[in-house]
Amino acid sequence: MAESGLPPGWEVRHSNSKNLPYYFNASTKESRWEPPAGTDTDQLKTYMAQHHSASSARTGSAIQANEGKIRASHLLVKHRDSRRPSSWREANITRSKQEAMEIILAHEARIRNGDISLGELAMTESDCSSARKRGDLGFFGKGDMQKEFEDAAFALQPGEISRAVESPSGVHLIERTE
């Protein structure tokens, strides 16, 4: 059992859209809001107080807290084979992966032509709840996002926009903002 009190394979991550911690199993890709079975709740409470409480977040400066992290926005188009094929826009997403790719490529063309910004387009077209924040995911570090997304985001320079990126969540356009 890790210092967090979680069973092997589980870790605490932070949801940028809900600004809350959640539990993630990297091997099974399962995520959940409640601690998994087999958690040492007393140990977890201590760990959360030390690492995920509002008071511990205020002890360091914002620069120290974001060291090694980047900030990015994205536009997500889900498809029927996505990890969760539903969104705030559609309760049951039925489009194919190819249809999702065609949609994202059309969005990319509009952005690169200067017709609209990624943030403006994300507000109406993204299948992620970050749409209401212009696709802003806040600051994140290595290991916080799905590998495909993270690799693409960290490869960008601030102000750059990725080509289409496929992940278990769907197809993304990513803009590194900081």
Side-chain angles (χ1 to χ4, degrees):
M1 192 159 299
E3 72 169 297
S4 64
L6 294 170
W10 286 92
E11 60 189 61
V12 179
R13 290 197 175 177
H14 192 83
S15 167
N16 289 312
S17 60
K18 302 219 183 281
N19 198 28
L20 294 170
Y22 67 98
Y23 307 97
F24 180 76
N25 186 312
S27 58
T28 66
K29 307 293 186 223
E30 180 185 354
S31 60
R32 54 187 307 158
W33 294 108
E34 300 299 319
T39 298
D40 179 329
T41 54
D42 291 332
Q43 195 172 347
L44 179 61
K45 285 177 190 173
T46 301
Y47 176 83
M48 295 300 282
Q50 291 172 345
H51 300 285
H52 290 275
S53 71
S55 60
S56 69
R58 286 191 297 265
T59 58
S61 72
I63 292 171
Q64 288 174 325
N66 293 326
E67 190 173 329
K69 296 184 177 188
I70 65 169
R71 187 173 192 169
S73 296
H74 79 136
L75 191 159
L76 170 65
V77 177
K78 292 184 175 186
H79 50 79
R80 64 177 167 245
D81 298 320
S82 294
R83 185 172 54 134
R84 288 190 197 108
S86 65
S87 77
W88 67 274
R89 297 177 65 234
E90 267 178 278
N92 183 28
I93 296 173
T94 59
R95 74 177 68 90
S96 70
K97 186 187 238 182
Q98 181 59 40
E99 290 168 319
M101 182 63 76
E102 290 168 6
I103 292 167
I104 208 85
L105 292 175
H107 291 332
E108 180 184 8
R110 289 186 64 203
I111 294 165
R112 294 203 189 278
N113 287 339
D115 298 339
I116 193 165
S117 71
L118 184 140
E120 289 172 301
L121 201 53
M123 288 192 300
T124 59
E125 303 302 318
S126 182
D127 285 317
C128 181
S129 60
S130 68
R132 66 180 168 264
K133 297 184 294 183
R134 301 175 61 87
D136 184 13
L137 297 169
F139 285 93
F140 57 89
K142 298 270 185 174
D144 290 341
M145 300 290 182
Q146 294 168 342
K147 182 170 178 19
E148 303 86 346
F149 185 97
E150 177 183 292
D151 290 348
F154 274 87
L156 297 169
Q157 294 300 313
E160 285 186 320
I161 298 175
S162 71
R163 298 291 181 188
V165 175
E166 293 183 42
S167 81
S169 294
V171 187
H172 311 255
L173 289 175
I174 306 165
E175 181 176 14
R176 181 168 170 184
T177 54
E178 294 183 45

